[in-house]
Amino acid sequence: MAGFEFGKNYRLLSAKDFNYLKKDSDLISDPWLRVFFKTSQKGNSVSRIGFSITTKLGNAVLRNRTRRILREIFRLEGDKTLGLDMLVVVNPFLYKKTKSKEEAETLLKKSFKRVLSKLPRQS
């Protein structure tokens, strides 16, 4: 199944990778997500993604579920050939301001898909 993998080459792995995105990055903001992005520091055409999910969001089960949902959307629908490094920061009030976890997850999915569609495309 080509195109459905999510190997290490698609992930931000080290602190150096995350620190690279903290300075002079472009930002796409949404009520539930903020995505910082820059041209890949590796200089290749593969997009890489990392997640920052605070403990204020909820317990470890909820944080890991949120991360899995975002990773799966990126794996299936994200354009991995943009050559961008992206850091996704989730709003800590996502689950607190919604009536149910299902509603929060639906908002998260819609929000992430909307943000992915706003990323700059290569010409």
Side-chain angles (χ1 to χ4, degrees):
M1 280 196 213
F4 289 115
E5 69 277 351
F6 193 75
K8 286 188 177 184
N9 58 327
Y10 295 115
R11 292 185 255 165
L12 298 176
L13 297 172
S14 67
K16 182 181 172 187
D17 293 336
F18 282 86
N19 289 333
Y20 169 72
L21 285 166
K22 289 182 182 177
K23 275 188 169 181
D24 303 323
S25 293
D26 293 317
L27 172 69
I28 296 176
S29 193
D30 193 82
W32 306 113
L33 296 171
R34 287 181 314 198
V35 177
F36 297 92
F37 64 94
K38 259 183 169 176
T39 306
S40 178
Q41 73 177 11
K42 298 236 179 206
N44 56 14
S45 63
V46 174
S47 291
R48 299 184 311 153
I49 193 164
F51 304 101
S52 176
I53 301 176
T54 179
T55 55
K56 292 178 185 178
L57 185 76
N59 63 14
V61 172
L62 197 57
R63 292 192 312 269
N64 287 331
R65 178 163 175 76
T66 302
R67 194 175 293 114
R68 280 195 309 271
I69 289 169
L70 294 173
R71 190 181 304 129
E72 187 69 5
I73 291 170
F74 181 74
R75 185 182 75 84
L76 293 174
E77 300 180 19
D79 189 351
K80 295 177 226 36
T81 61
L82 294 176
L84 298 173
D85 284 350
M86 296 173 270
L87 174 61
V88 179
V89 180
V90 178
N91 185 326
F93 299 108
L94 173 66
Y95 291 94
K96 294 177 178 94
K97 293 202 175 185
T98 54
K99 294 177 185 171
S100 67
K101 287 182 183 178
E102 291 79 18
E103 181 184 353
E105 289 174 2
T106 302
L107 286 172
L108 179 69
K109 290 173 186 177
K110 286 179 183 177
S111 182
F112 192 50
K113 288 177 184 179
R114 188 171 36 248
V115 167
L116 285 176
S117 70
K118 291 180 182 179
L119 287 172
R121 306 284 178 229
Q122 291 177 344
S123 330

